[in-house]
Amino acid sequence: MYAIGERINGMFKSVAAAIKEKNPEPIQDLAREQLKAGAQALDVNVGPAAEDALAAMEWLVKTIREVTEAPLVIDTTKPEVMRRGLEAAGSGSVINSSKGQQEQLDIFVPMAVEHEASLIALTIDENGIPRDANGRGEIALRAVAAAMEKGLPMDRLMIDAVILPVNVTQPTPGHVLEAIRNVKLLSDPPPKTVLGLSNVSQGTRQRELINRTYLVMALAVGLDAAIVDVLDTELMDEMITAELLMNRAVYADDFLKAYRASAAP
Ligand code: THG
């Protein structure tokens, strides 16, 4: 599974402070630690508090680029901030994210093609987050059609069926699993699937347990990528074990070590 490190996000106080003070060390430490822990890409989000989001994104990406060439997942809803991030990060980045209404897809799909980037499309549109799996599938189909029309290869489109906290909406985890299964039937080859895993446990008292369990469940129905806390070693162990049980890695007695060696960037 494609593991995207979630920690460089202004939602975390230490990251918000580093951005505000333009202090590179905490950011570069997080980049290195996450890659060492098995991240294959890094999510980059300036957070809600950043005053000048354009300048903050550019600084954040350049600061990370001083220590790694790993793919960066530029996490912003603002097209101009996205563009600035992509320009600083270079090709092979990921646009995170476009919503599923046509006006948004018309902006972000061509941007992905132009910048040789992948695109995460959320199953959210002008009516909000759909209540069930079918609603998510309809929006995903719109994103698939836009990618086909604009020449974005299907292996660079990632559908995010949008997971929400289980303590807020308990039917959602099940709906999202059904949506992930259905997305794989939309086209041949199908688009990739991704989730922001930690959303599922926000505000709960068993965060790690809920994250780990749901990751394994989603992996079993075909999840290809996830934005996760890669610093949670047990979560990564479970991910690696699930991959083995899905027959995506060859069994060896030291399969954890073998996987980590082969996935290292
Ligand atoms: N889909 C896509 N991108 C996303 C999300 C998604 N990006 C952001 C988010 N959701 C995924 N990343 C996180 C990062 C952190 C947390 C949850 C999701 C998190 N943070 C602690 C909290 O809110 O409790 C912060 C705690 C602290 O301040 O220290 O849980 O769904 N495409």
Side-chain angles (χ1 to χ4, degrees):
M1 202 194 67
Y2 195 67
I4 303 163
E6 73 177 16
R7 286 290 278 102
I8 302 181
N9 188 321
M11 181 198 297
F12 295 97
K13 283 195 194 78
S14 61
V15 173
I19 293 170
K20 196 163 184 192
E21 295 153 14
K22 290 210 166 23
N23 177 11
E25 268 111 55
I27 304 297
Q28 293 174 340
D29 285 348
L30 277 174
R32 281 187 286 249
E33 284 167 25
Q34 291 186 100
L35 292 166
K36 189 157 170 264
Q40 285 162 279
L42 303 173
D43 197 64
V44 183
N45 185 321
V46 298
E51 279 161 29
D52 182 351
L54 265 177
M57 181 60 85
E58 183 173 352
W59 178 82
L60 203 48
V61 169
K62 286 185 170 167
T63 298
I64 298 165
R65 271 285 168 266
E66 285 174 18
V67 297
T68 178
E69 285 302 314
L72 300 184
V73 178
I74 311 297
D75 192 349
T76 174
T77 55
K78 300 192 181 83
E80 66 278 12
V81 176
M82 186 67 73
R83 196 174 287 283
R84 186 72 68 89
L86 293 172
E87 281 163 5
S91 64
S93 302
V94 182
I95 292 176
N96 185 17
S97 51
S98 175
K99 291 185 183 166
Q101 58 265 46
Q102 202 58 48
E103 310 84 74
Q104 283 257 310
L105 292 166
D106 285 345
I107 295 170
F108 286 110
V109 176
M111 197 184 287
V113 173
E114 180 189 337
H115 290 269
E116 298 176 335
S118 296
L119 172 69
I120 297 178
L122 305 172
T123 59
I124 300 179
D125 66 8
E126 62 272 28
N127 302 314
I129 301 176
R131 235 174 312 124
D132 59 11
N134 284 342
R136 286 172 163 80
E138 281 171 27
I139 299 175
L141 187 55
R142 222 181 286 150
V144 167
M148 284 178 170
E149 195 182 304
K150 302 273 167 45
L152 181 69
M154 229 26 84
D155 64 356
R156 276 167 43 202
L157 176 65
M158 306 168 88
I159 302 294
D160 183 334
V162 190
I163 186 64
L164 298 169
V166 64
N167 63 349
V168 174
T169 160
Q170 217 176 325
T172 296
H175 293 155
V176 168
L177 295 182
E178 193 182 337
I180 290 169
R181 257 190 237 109
N182 293 345
V183 160
K184 289 295 171 186
L185 308 172
L186 288 180
S187 63
D188 185 15
K192 303 288 183 189
T193 52
V194 63
L195 290 178
L197 183 74
S198 300
N199 297 3
V200 72
S201 66
Q202 268 173 326
T204 70
R205 283 175 50 185
Q206 295 285 354
R207 292 209 65 170
E208 283 89 357
L209 181 60
I210 291 170
N211 288 343
R212 290 169 194 162
T213 304
Y214 194 61
L215 180 63
V216 171
M217 294 167 74
L219 236 151
V221 297
L223 186 70
D224 297 295
I227 303 165
V228 292
D229 180 8
V230 295
L231 303 180
D232 179 350
T233 308
E234 284 180 46
L235 177 86
M236 296 302 279
D237 283 355
E238 296 213 11
M239 180 201 84
I240 294 164
T241 307
E243 295 259 288
L244 179 82
L245 294 168
M246 294 293 287
N247 198 24
R248 292 196 203 131
V250 177
Y251 179 83
D253 285 343
D254 59 356
F255 67 87
L256 289 176
K257 223 172 117 193
Y259 184 99
R260 287 198 161 96
S262 71

CSV table of all heavy atoms in Angstrom, one decimal, residues 138-187:
chain,number,residue,atom,x,y,z
A,138,GLU,N,-21.5,7.7,-7.7
A,138,GLU,CA,-21.9,8.6,-8.8
A,138,GLU,C,-20.8,9.8,-9.0
A,138,GLU,O,-20.5,10.1,-10.1
A,138,GLU,CB,-23.2,9.3,-8.5
A,138,GLU,CG,-24.4,8.3,-8.8
A,138,GLU,CD,-25.7,8.9,-8.3
A,138,GLU,OE1,-25.9,10.1,-8.2
A,138,GLU,OE2,-26.6,8.1,-8.0
A,139,ILE,N,-20.3,10.3,-7.9
A,139,ILE,CA,-19.4,11.4,-8.0
A,139,ILE,C,-18.0,10.8,-8.5
A,139,ILE,O,-17.4,11.5,-9.3
A,139,ILE,CB,-19.2,12.1,-6.6
A,139,ILE,CG1,-20.5,12.7,-6.2
A,139,ILE,CG2,-18.1,13.2,-6.7
A,139,ILE,CD1,-20.5,13.3,-4.8
A,140,ALA,N,-17.7,9.6,-8.0
A,140,ALA,CA,-16.4,9.0,-8.5
A,140,ALA,C,-16.5,8.8,-10.0
A,140,ALA,O,-15.4,9.1,-10.7
A,140,ALA,CB,-16.2,7.7,-7.8
A,141,LEU,N,-17.6,8.4,-10.5
A,141,LEU,CA,-17.8,8.2,-12.0
A,141,LEU,C,-17.5,9.5,-12.8
A,141,LEU,O,-16.9,9.5,-13.8
A,141,LEU,CB,-19.1,7.7,-12.3
A,141,LEU,CG,-19.4,7.2,-13.8
A,141,LEU,CD1,-18.4,6.2,-14.2
A,141,LEU,CD2,-20.8,6.6,-13.9
A,142,ARG,N,-18.0,10.6,-12.2
A,142,ARG,CA,-17.8,12.0,-12.8
A,142,ARG,C,-16.3,12.3,-12.9
A,142,ARG,O,-15.8,12.8,-13.9
A,142,ARG,CB,-18.5,13.0,-11.9
A,142,ARG,CG,-19.2,14.1,-12.7
A,142,ARG,CD,-19.8,15.1,-11.7
A,142,ARG,NE,-21.0,14.6,-11.0
A,142,ARG,CZ,-21.4,15.0,-9.8
A,142,ARG,NH1,-20.6,15.9,-9.1
A,142,ARG,NH2,-22.4,14.5,-9.3
A,143,ALA,N,-15.5,11.9,-11.8
A,143,ALA,CA,-14.1,12.1,-11.8
A,143,ALA,C,-13.4,11.2,-12.8
A,143,ALA,O,-12.5,11.7,-13.5
A,143,ALA,CB,-13.5,11.9,-10.4
A,144,VAL,N,-13.9,10.0,-12.9
A,144,VAL,CA,-13.3,9.1,-13.9
A,144,VAL,C,-13.5,9.6,-15.4
A,144,VAL,O,-12.6,9.6,-16.2
A,144,VAL,CB,-13.9,7.6,-13.8
A,144,VAL,CG1,-13.6,6.8,-15.0
A,144,VAL,CG2,-13.4,7.0,-12.5
A,145,ALA,N,-14.7,10.1,-15.6
A,145,ALA,CA,-15.0,10.6,-16.9
A,145,ALA,C,-14.2,11.8,-17.2
A,145,ALA,O,-13.6,12.0,-18.4
A,145,ALA,CB,-16.5,11.0,-17.0
A,146,ALA,N,-14.0,12.7,-16.3
A,146,ALA,CA,-13.1,13.9,-16.5
A,146,ALA,C,-11.7,13.5,-16.8
A,146,ALA,O,-11.1,14.1,-17.6
A,146,ALA,CB,-13.2,14.8,-15.2
A,147,ALA,N,-11.2,12.5,-16.1
A,147,ALA,CA,-9.8,12.1,-16.3
A,147,ALA,C,-9.7,11.5,-17.7
A,147,ALA,O,-8.7,11.8,-18.4
A,147,ALA,CB,-9.4,11.0,-15.3
A,148,MET,N,-10.6,10.7,-18.1
A,148,MET,CA,-10.6,10.1,-19.5
A,148,MET,C,-10.6,11.2,-20.5
A,148,MET,O,-9.9,11.2,-21.5
A,148,MET,CB,-11.8,9.2,-19.7
A,148,MET,CG,-11.6,7.9,-19.0
A,148,MET,SD,-13.1,6.9,-19.3
A,148,MET,CE,-12.5,5.3,-18.6
A,149,GLU,N,-11.5,12.2,-20.3
A,149,GLU,CA,-11.7,13.3,-21.3
A,149,GLU,C,-10.4,14.1,-21.4
A,149,GLU,O,-10.1,14.6,-22.5
A,149,GLU,CB,-12.9,14.1,-20.8
A,149,GLU,CG,-13.4,15.0,-21.9
A,149,GLU,CD,-14.6,15.8,-21.2
A,149,GLU,OE1,-15.6,15.2,-20.7
A,149,GLU,OE2,-14.5,17.1,-21.3
A,150,LYS,N,-9.8,14.4,-20.3
A,150,LYS,CA,-8.7,15.3,-20.3
A,150,LYS,C,-7.3,14.6,-20.4
A,150,LYS,O,-6.3,15.3,-20.3
A,150,LYS,CB,-8.7,16.2,-19.0
A,150,LYS,CG,-10.0,17.0,-18.8
A,150,LYS,CD,-9.9,18.3,-19.5
A,150,LYS,CE,-11.2,19.1,-19.6
A,150,LYS,NZ,-12.1,19.1,-18.4
A,151,GLY,N,-7.3,13.3,-20.5
A,151,GLY,CA,-6.1,12.6,-20.7
A,151,GLY,C,-5.2,12.4,-19.5
A,151,GLY,O,-4.0,12.3,-19.6
A,152,LEU,N,-5.9,12.3,-18.3
A,152,LEU,CA,-5.2,11.9,-17.1
A,152,LEU,C,-5.2,10.4,-17.0
A,152,LEU,O,-6.3,9.8,-16.9
A,152,LEU,CB,-5.8,12.6,-15.9
A,152,LEU,CG,-5.1,12.2,-14.5
A,152,LEU,CD1,-3.7,12.9,-14.5
A,152,LEU,CD2,-6.0,12.7,-13.3
A,153,PRO,N,-4.1,9.7,-17.0
A,153,PRO,CA,-4.1,8.2,-16.9
A,153,PRO,C,-4.8,7.7,-15.6
A,153,PRO,O,-4.7,8.3,-14.6
A,153,PRO,CB,-2.6,7.8,-16.9
A,153,PRO,CG,-1.9,9.0,-17.5
A,153,PRO,CD,-2.7,10.2,-17.1
A,154,MET,N,-5.5,6.6,-15.7
A,154,MET,CA,-6.3,6.1,-14.6
A,154,MET,C,-5.5,5.8,-13.4
A,154,MET,O,-5.9,5.9,-12.3
A,154,MET,CB,-7.1,4.9,-15.0
A,154,MET,CG,-8.6,4.9,-14.7
A,154,MET,SD,-9.4,6.5,-14.5
A,154,MET,CE,-9.8,6.9,-16.1
A,155,ASP,N,-4.2,5.4,-13.6
A,155,ASP,CA,-3.4,5.1,-12.4
A,155,ASP,C,-2.8,6.3,-11.8
A,155,ASP,O,-2.1,6.3,-10.8
A,155,ASP,CB,-2.2,4.1,-12.8
A,155,ASP,CG,-1.2,4.8,-13.8
A,155,ASP,OD1,-1.5,5.9,-14.3
A,155,ASP,OD2,-0.2,4.1,-14.1
A,156,ARG,N,-3.2,7.5,-12.3
A,156,ARG,CA,-2.9,8.8,-11.6
A,156,ARG,C,-4.1,9.5,-11.0
A,156,ARG,O,-4.1,10.6,-10.5
A,156,ARG,CB,-2.1,9.7,-12.5
A,156,ARG,CG,-0.6,9.4,-12.5
A,156,ARG,CD,0.2,10.0,-13.6
A,156,ARG,NE,-0.1,11.4,-13.8
A,156,ARG,CZ,0.2,12.0,-15.0
A,156,ARG,NH1,0.7,11.4,-16.0
A,156,ARG,NH2,-0.1,13.3,-15.2
A,157,LEU,N,-5.3,8.8,-11.1
A,157,LEU,CA,-6.5,9.3,-10.5
A,157,LEU,C,-6.7,8.5,-9.2
A,157,LEU,O,-6.8,7.2,-9.3
A,157,LEU,CB,-7.7,9.2,-11.4
A,157,LEU,CG,-9.1,9.6,-10.8
A,157,LEU,CD1,-9.1,11.1,-10.4
A,157,LEU,CD2,-10.2,9.3,-11.7
A,158,MET,N,-6.9,9.1,-8.1
A,158,MET,CA,-7.1,8.5,-6.8
A,158,MET,C,-8.4,8.9,-6.2
A,158,MET,O,-8.6,10.1,-5.9
A,158,MET,CB,-6.0,8.8,-5.8
A,158,MET,CG,-4.6,8.4,-6.4
A,158,MET,SD,-3.3,9.1,-5.4
A,158,MET,CE,-3.1,7.8,-4.2
A,159,ILE,N,-9.4,8.0,-6.1
A,159,ILE,CA,-10.7,8.4,-5.5
A,159,ILE,C,-10.7,8.2,-4.0
A,159,ILE,O,-10.3,7.2,-3.5
A,159,ILE,CB,-11.8,7.4,-6.1
A,159,ILE,CG1,-11.8,7.5,-7.6
A,159,ILE,CG2,-13.2,7.8,-5.5
A,159,ILE,CD1,-12.3,8.8,-8.2
A,160,ASP,N,-11.1,9.3,-3.4
A,160,ASP,CA,-11.2,9.4,-1.9
A,160,ASP,C,-12.6,9.4,-1.5
A,160,ASP,O,-13.3,10.4,-1.7
A,160,ASP,CB,-10.5,10.6,-1.4
A,160,ASP,CG,-10.4,10.7,0.2
A,160,ASP,OD1,-11.3,10.1,0.8
A,160,ASP,OD2,-9.5,11.3,0.7
A,161,ALA,N,-13.1,8.2,-0.9
A,161,ALA,CA,-14.5,8.1,-0.6
A,161,ALA,C,-14.9,8.8,0.7
A,161,ALA,O,-16.0,8.7,1.2
A,161,ALA,CB,-14.9,6.6,-0.6
A,162,VAL,N,-14.0,9.5,1.3
A,162,VAL,CA,-14.2,10.4,2.4
A,162,VAL,C,-14.7,9.7,3.7
A,162,VAL,O,-16.0,9.6,3.9
A,162,VAL,CB,-15.1,11.6,2.1
A,162,VAL,CG1,-15.1,12.6,3.2
A,162,VAL,CG2,-14.7,12.3,0.7
A,163,ILE,N,-13.8,9.4,4.5
A,163,ILE,CA,-14.2,8.7,5.8
A,163,ILE,C,-14.4,9.8,6.9
A,163,ILE,O,-13.6,10.8,6.9
A,163,ILE,CB,-13.1,7.7,6.2
A,163,ILE,CG1,-13.5,6.9,7.5
A,163,ILE,CG2,-11.7,8.3,6.4
A,163,ILE,CD1,-14.8,6.1,7.3
A,164,LEU,N,-15.3,9.6,7.7
A,164,LEU,CA,-15.7,10.6,8.8
A,164,LEU,C,-15.5,9.9,10.2
A,164,LEU,O,-15.5,8.7,10.2
A,164,LEU,CB,-17.1,11.2,8.6
A,164,LEU,CG,-17.3,11.9,7.3
A,164,LEU,CD1,-18.8,12.1,7.0
A,164,LEU,CD2,-16.5,13.2,7.2
A,165,PRO,N,-15.5,10.7,11.2
A,165,PRO,CA,-15.3,10.1,12.6
A,165,PRO,C,-16.5,9.2,12.9
A,165,PRO,O,-17.6,9.5,12.7
A,165,PRO,CB,-15.3,11.3,13.5
A,165,PRO,CG,-14.9,12.5,12.7
A,165,PRO,CD,-15.4,12.2,11.3
A,166,VAL,N,-16.1,8.0,13.4
A,166,VAL,CA,-17.1,7.0,13.7
A,166,VAL,C,-18.0,7.4,14.8
A,166,VAL,O,-19.2,6.9,14.9
A,166,VAL,CB,-16.4,5.6,13.9
A,166,VAL,CG1,-15.6,5.7,15.2
A,166,VAL,CG2,-17.4,4.5,14.0
A,167,ASN,N,-17.5,8.3,15.7
A,167,ASN,CA,-18.4,8.7,16.8
A,167,ASN,C,-19.4,9.8,16.3
A,167,ASN,O,-20.3,10.1,17.1
A,167,ASN,CB,-17.6,9.2,18.0
A,167,ASN,CG,-16.7,10.4,17.6
A,167,ASN,OD1,-16.6,10.8,16.4
A,167,ASN,ND2,-16.1,11.1,18.6
A,168,VAL,N,-19.2,10.3,15.1
A,168,VAL,CA,-20.2,11.3,14.6
A,168,VAL,C,-21.2,10.6,13.7
A,168,VAL,O,-22.4,10.9,13.7
A,168,VAL,CB,-19.4,12.4,13.8
A,168,VAL,CG1,-20.3,13.4,13.1
A,168,VAL,CG2,-18.4,13.2,14.7
A,169,THR,N,-20.7,9.7,12.8
A,169,THR,CA,-21.6,9.1,11.9
A,169,THR,C,-21.2,7.6,11.8
A,169,THR,O,-20.2,7.3,11.1
A,169,THR,CB,-21.6,9.8,10.5
A,169,THR,OG1,-22.1,8.9,9.5
A,169,THR,CG2,-20.3,10.3,10.1
A,170,GLN,N,-21.9,6.7,12.5
A,170,GLN,CA,-21.4,5.4,12.6
A,170,GLN,C,-21.7,4.5,11.3
A,170,GLN,O,-20.9,3.6,11.1
A,170,GLN,CB,-22.1,4.7,13.8
A,170,GLN,CG,-21.2,3.7,14.5
A,170,GLN,CD,-21.7,3.1,15.7
A,170,GLN,OE1,-22.5,3.8,16.5
A,170,GLN,NE2,-21.4,1.9,16.0
A,171,PRO,N,-22.6,4.8,10.4
A,171,PRO,CA,-22.8,4.0,9.2
A,171,PRO,C,-21.7,4.3,8.2
A,171,PRO,O,-21.5,3.5,7.3
A,171,PRO,CB,-24.2,4.4,8.7
A,171,PRO,CG,-24.8,5.2,9.7
A,171,PRO,CD,-23.7,5.8,10.6
A,172,THR,N,-21.0,5.4,8.3
A,172,THR,CA,-20.1,5.8,7.2
A,172,THR,C,-18.9,4.9,7.0
A,172,THR,O,-18.7,4.6,5.8
A,172,THR,CB,-19.6,7.3,7.5
A,172,THR,OG1,-20.7,8.2,7.5
A,172,THR,CG2,-18.5,7.7,6.5
A,173,PRO,N,-18.2,4.3,8.0
A,173,PRO,CA,-17.2,3.4,7.6
A,173,PRO,C,-17.6,2.2,6.7
A,173,PRO,O,-16.9,1.9,5.8
A,173,PRO,CB,-16.7,2.9,9.0
A,173,PRO,CG,-17.0,4.0,9.9
A,173,PRO,CD,-18.3,4.6,9.4
A,174,GLY,N,-18.8,1.7,7.0
A,174,GLY,CA,-19.3,0.7,6.1
A,174,GLY,C,-19.6,1.2,4.7
A,174,GLY,O,-19.3,0.5,3.7
A,175,HIS,N,-20.2,2.3,4.6
A,175,HIS,CA,-20.5,2.9,3.3
A,175,HIS,C,-19.2,3.1,2.5
A,175,HIS,O,-19.2,2.9,1.3
A,175,HIS,CB,-21.3,4.3,3.4
A,175,HIS,CG,-22.6,4.1,4.0
A,175,HIS,ND1,-23.3,5.1,4.7
A,175,HIS,CD2,-23.5,3.1,4.0
A,175,HIS,CE1,-24.5,4.7,5.0
A,175,HIS,NE2,-24.6,3.5,4.7
A,176,VAL,N,-18.2,3.6,3.2
A,176,VAL,CA,-16.9,3.9,2.5
A,176,VAL,C,-16.3,2.6,2.0
A,176,VAL,O,-15.8,2.5,0.9
A,176,VAL,CB,-16.0,4.7,3.4
A,176,VAL,CG1,-14.6,4.7,2.8
A,176,VAL,CG2,-16.5,6.1,3.6
A,177,LEU,N,-16.4,1.5,2.7
A,177,LEU,CA,-15.8,0.2,2.3
A,177,LEU,C,-16.6,-0.2,1.0
A,177,LEU,O,-16.0,-0.7,0.0
A,177,LEU,CB,-16.0,-0.9,3.3
A,177,LEU,CG,-15.2,-0.7,4.6
A,177,LEU,CD1,-15.4,-1.8,5.6
A,177,LEU,CD2,-13.7,-0.5,4.3
A,178,GLU,N,-17.9,-0.1,1.0
A,178,GLU,CA,-18.7,-0.5,-0.2
A,178,GLU,C,-18.3,0.4,-1.4
A,178,GLU,O,-18.2,-0.1,-2.5
A,178,GLU,CB,-20.2,-0.3,0.2
A,178,GLU,CG,-21.1,-0.9,-0.8
A,178,GLU,CD,-22.6,-0.7,-0.4
A,178,GLU,OE1,-22.9,-0.4,0.8
A,178,GLU,OE2,-23.4,-0.7,-1.4
A,179,ALA,N,-18.1,1.7,-1.1
A,179,ALA,CA,-17.7,2.6,-2.2
A,179,ALA,C,-16.4,2.2,-2.8
A,179,ALA,O,-16.2,2.3,-4.0
A,179,ALA,CB,-17.7,4.0,-1.7
A,180,ILE,N,-15.4,1.8,-1.9
A,180,ILE,CA,-14.1,1.5,-2.4
A,180,ILE,C,-14.2,0.2,-3.3
A,180,ILE,O,-13.6,0.2,-4.4
A,180,ILE,CB,-13.1,1.2,-1.2
A,180,ILE,CG1,-12.8,2.4,-0.5
A,180,ILE,CG2,-11.8,0.5,-1.7
A,180,ILE,CD1,-12.1,2.2,0.9
A,181,ARG,N,-15.0,-0.7,-2.9
A,181,ARG,CA,-15.2,-1.9,-3.8
A,181,ARG,C,-15.8,-1.5,-5.1
A,181,ARG,O,-15.3,-2.0,-6.2
A,181,ARG,CB,-16.2,-2.9,-3.1
A,181,ARG,CG,-15.5,-4.1,-2.5
A,181,ARG,CD,-16.6,-5.1,-2.0
A,181,ARG,NE,-16.5,-5.3,-0.6
A,181,ARG,CZ,-17.3,-4.9,0.3
A,181,ARG,NH1,-18.4,-4.2,0.0
A,181,ARG,NH2,-17.1,-5.3,1.6
A,182,ASN,N,-16.8,-0.6,-5.1
A,182,ASN,CA,-17.5,-0.2,-6.3
A,182,ASN,C,-16.6,0.6,-7.3
A,182,ASN,O,-16.8,0.5,-8.5
A,182,ASN,CB,-18.8,0.5,-6.0
A,182,ASN,CG,-19.8,-0.3,-5.3
A,182,ASN,OD1,-19.7,-1.6,-5.3
A,182,ASN,ND2,-20.8,0.3,-4.7
A,183,VAL,N,-15.7,1.4,-6.7
A,183,VAL,CA,-14.9,2.2,-7.5
A,183,VAL,C,-14.0,1.4,-8.5
A,183,VAL,O,-13.7,1.7,-9.6
A,183,VAL,CB,-14.0,3.1,-6.6
A,183,VAL,CG1,-12.8,3.6,-7.4
A,183,VAL,CG2,-14.8,4.3,-6.1
A,184,LYS,N,-13.7,0.2,-8.0
A,184,LYS,CA,-12.8,-0.7,-8.8
A,184,LYS,C,-13.5,-1.3,-10.0
A,184,LYS,O,-12.9,-1.9,-10.8
A,184,LYS,CB,-12.3,-1.8,-7.9
A,184,LYS,CG,-11.3,-1.4,-6.8
A,184,LYS,CD,-10.0,-0.9,-7.5
A,184,LYS,CE,-9.0,-0.2,-6.6
A,184,LYS,NZ,-7.9,0.4,-7.4
A,185,LEU,N,-14.9,-1.1,-10.0
A,185,LEU,CA,-15.7,-1.6,-11.2
A,185,LEU,C,-16.0,-0.5,-12.2
A,185,LEU,O,-16.7,-0.7,-13.2
A,185,LEU,CB,-17.0,-2.2,-10.6
A,185,LEU,CG,-16.8,-3.2,-9.5
A,185,LEU,CD1,-18.2,-3.6,-9.0
A,185,LEU,CD2,-16.1,-4.5,-10.1
A,186,LEU,N,-15.6,0.8,-11.9
A,186,LEU,CA,-16.0,1.9,-12.7
A,186,LEU,C,-15.3,1.9,-14.1
A,186,LEU,O,-15.9,2.5,-15.1
A,186,LEU,CB,-15.7,3.2,-12.0
A,186,LEU,CG,-16.6,3.6,-10.8
A,186,LEU,CD1,-16.2,4.9,-10.2
A,186,LEU,CD2,-18.1,3.6,-11.2
A,187,SER,N,-14.1,1.4,-14.2
A,187,SER,CA,-13.4,1.5,-15.5
A,187,SER,C,-12.3,0.4,-15.5
A,187,SER,O,-12.0,-0.2,-14.4
A,187,SER,CB,-12.7,2.8,-15.7
A,187,SER,OG,-11.7,3.1,-14.7
